[in-house]
Amino acid sequence: MDLQTLSSLHNIFQEVQQKQDWRAALDTLFVSLRDSFIFDNVAIYLEDPRTKGLDVVYARAVGRGKTAEADVVWGESLASEVIAKGAMILKVPKRGTGKTGRLDLAHLLAFPLYIGSKLGGALVFVRFGGPAYSELHIQTAALQAFWTAALIERRDLQEARAELDSVQRQMRLQDDFVSTISHELRTPLGFIKGYSTSLLREDTVWDKATQREFLNIIDEEADRLARLIEDMLESARLQSKTLQFKFSPVRIDALMRDVATRINMHHPELKITFNFETLPPIRGDGTRLSQVFENLFSNAIKYSPGSEIVIGMRASVENIRITFADKGEGISEDYLPFVFERFYRVPGERTVTGTGLGLYICKQIIMAHHGNIWVESVLGKGATFIIELPVAPML
Ligand code: ADP
């Protein structure tokens, strides 16, 4: 091979490898070699390991005006053929059929793709109306097939690694959760046990006011325990997709005001400002949506003590957008992507009680409404939770 060719190949190799996205890498691969090997369309078919059917994972028209999508269907039978054979197939148009249109004269070239040493797909090129592929063209195409398989293998590895990372993170969170939850369960239980033992002591007589105070603490701690257990059960049901939703028309502004009134009864000092436009009713599960709002209030009270809460609501044709803002410490940019994960708690957040389930539950409930929830925050300047709910969800 002459040095000039080798050098060009090296440059193409570098350019392809640098593309992190596999589709972009394939685009570069096919376009950059098109000077040496002319074709109209290319398509990649991969076997679905579950159904054993063929999926078109990539299709591109680089040739004369024909769309790639229109061609992937006929490529499919050739792809199956090449996978069954395990070797290259070249198909040239039959002579004497009377057909003379350029699109009827398809020169097809198909290669099996060995991904991770397993035959799992096919690469099909088509050239309409010829000329026939030369030996050199076929070799260039074979090189592209080899390279395509390597790029798909890289994609599979990247996906597997991302999944592994996520499972590992989930396992770490689960480990933390066990220690958090035992602490969270023990604290209210400790209060309940302590105060009831005190009340039961035969050697001490408590006056009425003290008895009431102790019973109030026991009552509140029992509620806390019940809420905690409810959160755990609910998160398990959401995880297994067995939580039932009951959808009916709800007025989301009225729902938020009700929750705020309840919260204000327990926290009269909390300043809540509403900024609501007139809103249409939406279809939703009122109880679950109230739970989302309660969680946001509870977090604002826990993580931004003393801060005012400003709640905005406005509607567009498609969505109702709710903004729920506090002016507390906020959340560092590093942790923002994770706060909606199950069991996730911002590191160092050990002085405030919690399980890392609240925002996970919120997100699942909003997603069941085909909506979206996210948070924007600048550390030191507060956090704003934003919810978008479709006005007419396809439920
Ligand atoms: P929990 O409150 O039980 O820890 P959540 O899922 O409700 O769990 O919240 C996850 C994390 O997000 C919390 O640990 C906290 O660090 C952070 N967070 C939630 N709301 C706020 C807020 N309003 N301000 C600052 N941090 C918040």
Side-chain angles (χ1 to χ4, degrees):
M1 193 189 288
D2 67 278
L3 283 178
Q4 190 61 43
T5 311
L6 258 183
S7 162
S8 312
L9 207 54
H10 165 261
N11 291 342
I12 294 171
F13 185 83
Q14 263 200 329
E15 210 188 324
V16 172
Q17 287 310 105
Q18 271 163 11
K19 296 275 186 312
Q20 282 305 310
D21 174 61
W22 65 283
R23 283 178 199 279
L26 285 169
D27 286 346
T28 311
L29 171 66
F30 293 123
V31 172
S32 57
L33 277 169
R34 209 172 159 266
D35 284 349
S36 331
F37 167 51
I38 294 178
F39 58 89
D40 288 312
N41 291 357
V42 59
I44 298 173
Y45 301 82
L46 291 185
E47 231 170 26
D48 183 326
R50 281 168 299 128
T51 62
K52 298 284 169 220
L54 283 181
D55 295 331
V56 185
V57 297
Y58 178 93
R60 195 184 156 114
V62 285
R64 292 153 281 187
K66 186 111 174 34
T67 64
E69 281 67 27
D71 300 314
V72 292
V73 179
W74 52 249
E76 194 171 311
S77 65
L78 186 61
S80 307
E81 241 181 278
V82 89
I83 291 172
K85 187 175 173 208
M88 183 201 85
I89 294 179
L90 171 66
K91 283 209 167 151
V92 295
K94 286 200 183 73
R95 284 169 190 278
T97 55
K99 291 184 176 166
T100 51
R102 193 174 71 82
L103 294 182
D104 294 319
L105 302 173
H107 291 253
L108 293 159
L109 189 54
F111 294 88
L113 294 175
Y114 288 87
I115 297 147
S117 74
K118 213 172 137 270
L119 178 52
L123 175 69
V124 182
F125 293 102
V126 62
R127 183 188 270 178
F128 293 106
Y133 298 108
S134 71
E135 187 56 33
L136 208 57
H137 289 160
I138 294 174
Q139 283 170 358
T140 310
L143 177 70
Q144 283 178 314
F146 177 74
W147 214 333
T148 298
L151 287 171
I152 298 217
E153 193 172 344
R154 189 180 77 173
R155 175 200 74 162
D156 291 351
L157 283 175
Q158 280 167 345
E159 284 175 3
R161 166 172 286 247
E163 198 168 321
L164 193 68
D165 283 351
S166 145
V167 170
Q168 275 177 341
R169 201 170 55 241
Q170 199 60 35
M171 277 166 62
R172 266 200 310 277
L173 291 176
Q174 212 133 351
D175 281 351
D176 291 351
F177 176 70
V178 173
S179 59
T180 310
I181 200 70
S182 30
H183 171 76
E184 290 291 308
L185 290 172
R186 268 201 208 112
T187 314
L189 210 55
F191 279 114
I192 293 171
K193 176 76 186 150
Y195 284 99
S196 47
T197 307
S198 301
L199 283 173
L200 286 170
R201 277 173 68 162
E202 299 207 337
D203 56 349
T204 317
V205 180
W206 304 104
D207 60 47
K208 268 257 173 286
T210 313
Q211 278 183 25
R212 208 166 164 76
E213 187 194 334
F214 286 7
L215 283 170
N216 260 332
I217 295 173
I218 293 173
D219 190 48
E220 273 172 20
E221 294 300 316
D223 281 349
R224 189 168 139 196
L225 210 52
R227 257 196 322 272
L228 210 69
I229 291 167
E230 194 48 43
D231 269 4
M232 281 163 61
L233 288 175
E234 197 131 299
S235 116
R237 282 191 217 116
L238 283 164
Q239 178 91 350
S240 62
K241 309 253 181 285
T242 52
L243 190 71
Q244 297 289 324
F245 286 84
K246 292 193 196 77
F247 291 99
S248 60
V250 286
R251 297 214 68 105
I252 204 89
D253 40 356
L255 213 64
M256 180 68 93
R257 282 186 199 274
D258 284 351
V259 175
T261 308
R262 272 205 305 279
I263 296 282
N264 259 150
M265 281 197 306
H266 286 96
H267 303 272
E269 75 294 345
L270 187 67
K271 185 162 185 294
I272 306 171
T273 306
F274 299 109
N275 225 328
F276 291 179
E277 284 178 1
T278 321
L279 301 168
I282 63 157
R283 266 187 79 70
D285 183 327
T287 313
R288 300 282 171 216
L289 289 172
S290 296
Q291 201 182 340
V292 172
F293 302 153
E294 274 160 20
N295 257 318
L296 296 183
F297 275 114
S298 145
N299 277 351
I301 292 163
K302 281 197 303 187
Y303 300 108
S304 316
S307 157
E308 175 191 4
I309 296 172
V310 182
I311 307 168
M313 284 201 195
R314 61 188 159 86
S316 67
V317 181
E318 286 125 25
N319 288 317
I320 286 186
R321 192 183 169 99
I322 306 164
T323 49
F324 192 103
D326 65 53
K327 298 197 178 81
E329 260 313 291
I331 304 166
S332 149
E333 206 184 325
D334 297 343
Y335 307 129
L336 281 181
F338 308 114
V339 293
F340 292 96
E341 283 186 5
R342 199 167 174 233
F343 307 137
Y344 187 84
R345 306 203 69 212
V346 167
E349 203 66 89
R350 292 296 168 234
T351 49
V352 183
T353 60
T355 53
L357 289 175
L359 289 179
Y360 167 78
I361 293 175
C362 290
K363 176 147 190 169
Q364 301 305 311
I365 292 174
I366 297 297
M367 274 166 45
H369 286 78
H370 297 266
N372 204 357
I373 178 169
W374 69 98
V375 57
E376 293 171 2
S377 178
V378 174
L379 200 57
K381 298 219 164 132
T384 301
F385 288 85
I386 299 147
I387 298 175
E388 270 181 0
L389 287 168
V391 173
M394 309 292 281
L395 299 171

